[in-house]
Amino acid sequence: MRITDVLLDIVSIPRYTGFVCQHGLIRIMTDEGIVGIGEMSDFSHLPKYSLDARDLQATLRAHLVGRDPFDLVGINGEVAGLFPETMYYYEKGTFVRCGVDLALHDLVGKALGVNVSTLLGGRLRDKLKVCYPIFRSRTLEEVKANVDVVRQRFAQGFDVFRLYAGVNPDADEAFLDAVRQEFGSRVTIKSLDFSHLLDWKSALRVTKRLLPYGVQLIESPAVRNDFEGLRHFRLAVDLPVSEHVWSFKQLHDMLRHDSVDIFNIALIFIGGFAAARKAAAAAEVAGKGVLIGTTQELSLGTAAQALLGASLPNLNAISDPTGPELYIDDVTTAPVRYENGYLLVPDASKPGLGMDIDWNKVERLRIEGFHWSAERVANLQDRTSAS
């Protein structure tokens, strides 16, 4: 079997918050008619530059056409050379590497007639407990709307929430107090996510203020790549500390500094299944836990996240992928399923990633390429619309 073509489709889908996200779907075609499909999720992140989609398609064609899709190690190594690590959380290279790797796994699974979970060594669980994100309140006036989100999602079965915090501690406390008053122990706050916006001392002050409201862990409580600051913070709080993994150099430095307790691993930020499993194995050897993170993928990318989480022995914290619940549309014939606050892993009997693409939806949602609007930095950080 040989790769004969690579196609890249760009779609634009708003979230319920009004923020519009752009995603890439990569199709790897073969001479046997089998097509692998991967997702490059949510390019609408800082830094505010975009890849040229047609040039990216031409580049991938030049390097993948003629290759054996079963050569996962070789192809991933070459793509990593084309789009190397830059030690930045939202570097676009990992998005590209992830899309290619997911498409290759989808293709190989379909060729063998097996679900990707088989390629990953099987599944240890059939569902992942997940949390719903509450986006940052920058003013006290925004708190009521966020409490309404908790109310609506709790009615749908979500009982664990992740709070983006730190910019306005008064608003954070008002939100947590309102949730506790209305829901009591029926709702859990999984984490305060500081998103690298504060230095570790500032994050520590806010954390101590909010601890009485019952939080399970703290995420990203230092500026990017401040591994010593992360460690200082970790030693100062009696809660697990979590950080995203976005490069192997960064992972090495966090292990060397003993900076975190739980590694937040998302396929899109580390570059696909092979890289994510390598990162999870390093965490396991070091005695660290793992949770499955997210950039809020569509259903295809979320299915891949679920398959990854199902295979990891050291998945020991509530995970984050709830993207399909945030978007007003999707590109699959049926979305991934959530049940009582759990993300259900795709049917093990379906080959590949276990999801079917609705190409009529893709055509309706298609745009010509990645591009930026006039969104302000705060809106990009908080994933909310300027309007």
Side-chain angles (χ1 to χ4, degrees):
M1 182 185 295
R2 296 290 167 181
I3 296 172
T4 57
D5 202 1
V6 178
L7 301 176
L8 186 61
D9 300 287
I10 313 302
V11 296
S12 178
I13 305 178
R15 298 185 182 189
Y16 287 106
T17 62
F19 188 83
V20 180
C21 298
Q22 299 162 26
H23 311 264
L25 296 175
I26 177 173
R27 284 182 277 173
I28 298 180
M29 326 292 283
T30 67
D31 55 3
E32 295 187 16
I34 301 173
V35 180
I37 306 171
E39 181 178 309
M40 303 177 185
S41 313
D42 193 3
F43 266 78
S44 307
H45 279 290
L46 293 167
K48 205 170 183 181
Y49 58 75
S50 298
L51 298 175
D52 183 309
R54 301 283 70 84
D55 183 67
L56 175 58
Q57 177 177 272
T59 297
L60 294 175
R61 274 178 177 161
H63 290 271
L64 298 185
V65 169
R67 300 290 296 269
D68 176 359
F70 281 77
D71 183 17
L72 294 170
V73 173
I75 294 176
N76 275 325
E78 183 166 349
V79 174
L82 295 171
F83 303 95
E85 292 184 351
T86 63
M87 284 283 285
Y88 185 72
Y89 182 22
Y90 297 122
E91 62 152 289
K92 300 302 190 286
T94 60
F95 291 40
V96 175
R97 298 199 303 272
C98 177
V100 171
D101 185 66
L102 265 58
L104 289 172
H105 277 80
D106 186 51
L107 196 162
V108 169
K110 290 173 178 174
L112 296 176
V114 300
N115 187 261
V116 164
S117 60
T118 299
L119 304 180
L120 300 180
R123 52 178 73 186
L124 301 175
R125 54 191 68 85
D126 292 316
K127 59 184 180 179
L128 280 63
K129 186 66 175 177
V130 294
C131 60
Y132 195 88
I134 301 299
F135 294 103
R136 195 170 284 107
S137 294
R138 289 183 177 262
T139 67
L140 285 168
E141 289 72 24
E142 294 172 322
V143 170
K144 182 179 182 298
N146 276 336
V147 175
D148 287 341
V149 172
V150 174
R151 193 175 296 119
Q152 295 161 10
R153 295 300 176 172
F154 182 76
Q156 296 172 350
F158 292 97
D159 58 355
V160 182
F161 295 86
R162 172 167 59 104
L163 176 63
Y164 286 88
V167 170
N168 186 333
D170 292 338
D172 297 335
E173 185 166 15
F175 168 81
L176 292 170
D177 184 63
V179 169
R180 184 172 66 176
Q181 293 294 328
E182 181 170 346
F183 297 96
S185 61
R186 294 179 298 159
V187 160
T188 298
I189 303 299
K190 186 203 81 169
S191 61
L192 303 176
D193 188 342
F194 289 104
S195 304
H196 315 109
L197 296 181
L198 302 181
D199 63 85
W200 75 268
K201 289 184 178 180
S202 299
L204 182 60
R205 286 193 291 271
V206 177
T207 297
K208 289 182 175 180
R209 175 176 175 179
L210 302 180
L211 276 180
Y213 293 94
V215 177
Q216 291 189 341
L217 60 90
I218 308 297
E219 298 188 59
S220 306
V223 296
R224 293 183 186 92
N225 299 321
D226 179 10
F227 310 113
E228 290 188 5
L230 266 177
R231 185 172 186 274
H232 288 313
F233 181 95
R234 177 173 176 255
L235 294 176
V237 297
D238 190 23
L239 283 176
V241 173
S242 172
E243 182 56 279
H244 304 75
V245 179
W246 56 78
S247 83
F248 290 112
K249 173 64 167 63
Q250 176 238 8
L251 172 63
H252 172 267
D253 287 340
M254 287 193 293
L255 288 172
R256 185 164 59 87
H257 287 84
D258 200 17
S259 298
V260 300
D261 303 285
I262 299 172
F263 287 90
N264 181 320
I265 298 177
L267 292 169
I268 196 70
F269 292 134
I270 192 63
F273 285 119
R277 286 173 60 80
K278 183 177 178 181
E284 184 181 11
V285 169
K288 304 294 186 180
V290 164
L291 66 83
I292 301 300
T294 188
T295 184
Q296 307 304 351
E297 298 79 6
L298 301 176
S299 280
L300 182 66
T302 303
Q305 294 270 75
L307 292 168
L308 171 66
S311 73
L312 299 182
N314 55 331
L315 179 71
N316 62 357
I318 296 170
S319 293
D320 298 340
T322 53
E325 293 291 313
L326 272 70
Y327 292 105
I328 67 171
D329 211 336
D330 212 319
V331 296
T332 51
T333 56
V336 294
R337 293 174 53 212
Y338 295 88
E339 188 176 277
N340 298 322
Y342 285 86
L343 167 60
L344 304 187
V345 183
D347 187 345
S349 67
K350 294 197 66 173
L353 294 174
M355 304 298 289
D356 298 313
I357 301 298
D358 184 332
W359 293 105
N360 289 326
K361 288 184 178 179
V362 173
E363 191 59 37
R364 175 168 52 83
L365 298 167
R366 183 192 309 277
I367 56 176
E368 287 303 310
F370 302 114
H371 61 83
W372 282 101
S373 62
E375 297 284 5
R376 295 176 299 171
V377 170
N379 303 120
L380 295 170
Q381 291 172 339
D382 298 345
R383 320 308 283 160
T384 55
S385 172
S387 61

